[in-house]
Amino acid sequence: MGFFSFFSKDKKEVLDKGLSKTKESFFGKIARAIAGKTTIDDEVLDNLEEILVTSDVGVDTTLKIVERIQKRVARDKFMTTNELNSLLKDEIAELLIENNSEDCEGFDLQTTPGKPYVIMVVGVNGVGKTTTIGKLAYQFKKAGKKVYLGAADTFRAAAVEQLVEWGRRVDVPVVKQNMGSDPASVAYDTLASAVANNAEVVIIDTAGRLHNKVGLMNELTKIKNVMKKILPDAPNDVMLVLDGSTGQNAFEQAKQFTKATEVSSMAITKLDGTAKGGVVIGISDQFKIPVKYIGLGEQMEDLQVFNRYEFVDSLFK
């Protein structure tokens, strides 16, 4: 397979640090819930349910995890509260494995000359969408890939300016038009330029307005249809960017965007500044869409490929 991975062991420290607030909050709550308890009984499980929900894992996913633990406790009869952490770790890891069945290692960049890999990025304003695009472009460029960016969020001057600035920093071309231009026209021009210049990766930024579902659907569909005139397979990936620090809001945004367009991957940002890292578990479980990247800080290298094993290991370390 031609998977393009940015994950390396030296980034484990960044991952550990990025999840530290989630970890401290989560295990602090568990320690208080089992204080004075020796066995995992109904009261412990009720408390665990509340902890998972308040840690933004989500109700449905929480019920699934607690039910799995109940079955383990019933099967193994006597289980101590000392075993709760390892039980939780096992069940969360298993859940993430089930919901990301392929070993997700970034994007499968099996490109041929004149046929770049096209990523269309969607998400509301303020989630770190343009920053994620810039960091992706940097890492692709660093790996020797020829990258083009398309500024198809033409409704906000700041969005275009921000992408142009990222293009300057990363030293990749940005295709843009005037404010208020047709976003599909920008996407078309970007692909035409990318194909003409033998680019290997194209990343298209789209408007971050969560307007009514029909309007959003029509706009994104039009962008996709116009790109297909140049590359019938485009886009190869529709990536939804979500802000992990917003907790349950991220679930709602995922619902809206998955209804409006065919989302094929997700990036969850801003996990370093929040105790709401549990949202990664719930979103992965509820939407059955691979979480490909997580954002763990401001640095270029702080966008990491989501490795479920490393994520669970850091959470329970």
Side-chain angles (χ1 to χ4, degrees):
M1 296 295 286
F3 284 111
F4 190 79
S5 173
F6 299 140
F7 190 87
S8 58
K9 293 297 178 187
D10 61 352
K11 291 191 177 181
K12 191 66 164 67
E13 194 177 314
V14 173
L15 184 60
D16 290 345
K17 187 180 174 189
L19 293 178
S20 61
K21 286 188 180 178
T22 296
K23 183 178 169 180
E24 284 163 23
S25 169
F26 188 58
F27 289 105
K29 289 175 185 174
I30 287 179
R32 289 191 293 275
I34 63 175
K37 291 277 189 180
T38 53
T39 58
I40 301 173
D41 57 16
D42 287 345
E43 187 184 350
V44 168
L45 290 171
D46 285 345
N47 288 338
L48 177 62
E49 191 174 307
E50 187 180 334
I51 290 163
L52 289 167
V53 170
T54 56
S55 298
D56 290 280
V57 172
V59 174
D60 292 341
T61 303
T62 290
L63 293 175
K64 203 179 284 187
I65 292 168
V66 171
E67 190 181 313
R68 285 168 177 242
I69 291 174
Q70 273 177 322
K71 285 179 180 173
R72 286 275 295 273
V73 171
R75 188 183 70 216
D76 299 341
K77 303 301 179 200
F78 184 85
M79 298 196 82
T80 69
T81 49
N82 291 336
E83 295 171 272
L84 187 58
N85 284 359
S86 62
L87 259 180
L88 255 179
K89 182 178 180 180
D90 289 349
E91 296 307 334
I92 289 172
E94 193 62 37
L95 207 61
L96 288 172
I97 290 164
E98 287 170 14
N99 296 317
N100 291 270
S101 55
E102 78 271 29
D103 198 11
C104 181
E105 287 293 335
F107 290 108
D108 189 3
L109 296 186
Q110 293 180 323
T111 59
T112 54
K115 285 186 73 176
Y117 190 94
V118 182
I119 303 162
M120 186 168 92
V121 182
V122 301
V124 300
N125 296 332
V127 295
K129 186 162 53 81
T130 309
T131 300
T132 297
I133 291 169
K135 289 177 180 178
L136 271 177
Y138 163 75
Q139 295 188 30
F140 282 128
K141 178 85 187 288
K142 188 180 168 189
K145 303 294 177 185
K146 192 170 185 180
V147 184
Y148 266 64
L149 303 180
D153 183 355
T154 58
F155 297 96
R156 288 189 313 133
V160 176
E161 288 165 11
Q162 191 184 2
L163 197 67
V164 167
E165 174 58 21
W166 270 106
R168 186 193 64 74
R169 286 172 65 185
V170 178
D171 191 26
V172 299
V174 177
V175 177
K176 66 184 180 77
Q177 291 182 8
N178 294 331
M179 266 289 295
S181 300
D182 181 3
S185 172
V186 178
Y188 184 93
D189 284 356
T190 306
L191 258 64
S193 296
V195 168
N197 290 284
N198 294 314
E200 294 161 282
V201 183
V202 175
I203 310 176
I204 305 286
D205 190 10
T206 64
R209 301 163 303 145
L210 195 56
H211 38 336
N212 72 75
K213 195 178 81 181
V214 175
L216 180 66
M217 189 182 295
N218 291 343
E219 188 176 294
L220 297 177
T221 300
K222 185 179 177 185
I223 292 172
K224 288 197 279 191
N225 288 343
V226 162
M227 290 196 288
K228 287 182 190 300
K229 291 180 180 177
I230 297 177
L231 291 169
D233 293 338
N236 302 93
D237 191 282
V238 177
M239 171 178 274
L240 172 61
V241 180
L242 299 166
D243 177 349
S245 71
T246 63
Q248 293 306 298
N249 255 348
F251 274 91
E252 190 52 40
Q253 288 168 25
K255 271 185 200 168
Q256 295 297 326
F257 275 95
T258 51
K259 283 177 189 171
T261 192
E262 292 176 23
V263 174
S264 46
S265 69
M266 294 190 190
I268 301 180
T269 65
K270 307 184 187 181
L271 291 175
D272 55 308
T274 181
K276 297 176 183 284
V279 76
V280 176
I281 300 161
I283 284 175
S284 174
D285 175 51
Q286 292 303 303
F287 295 95
K288 305 293 189 281
I289 295 169
V291 175
K292 282 191 177 175
Y293 294 93
I294 51 176
L296 298 157
E298 297 300 316
Q299 302 304 310
M300 294 275 203
E301 301 285 355
D302 290 345
L303 182 72
Q304 291 192 9
V305 166
F306 176 63
N307 182 305
R308 55 190 182 255
Y309 302 108
E310 300 291 354
F311 180 87
V312 173
D313 184 66
S314 286
L315 193 57
F316 283 84
K317 204 168 184 180

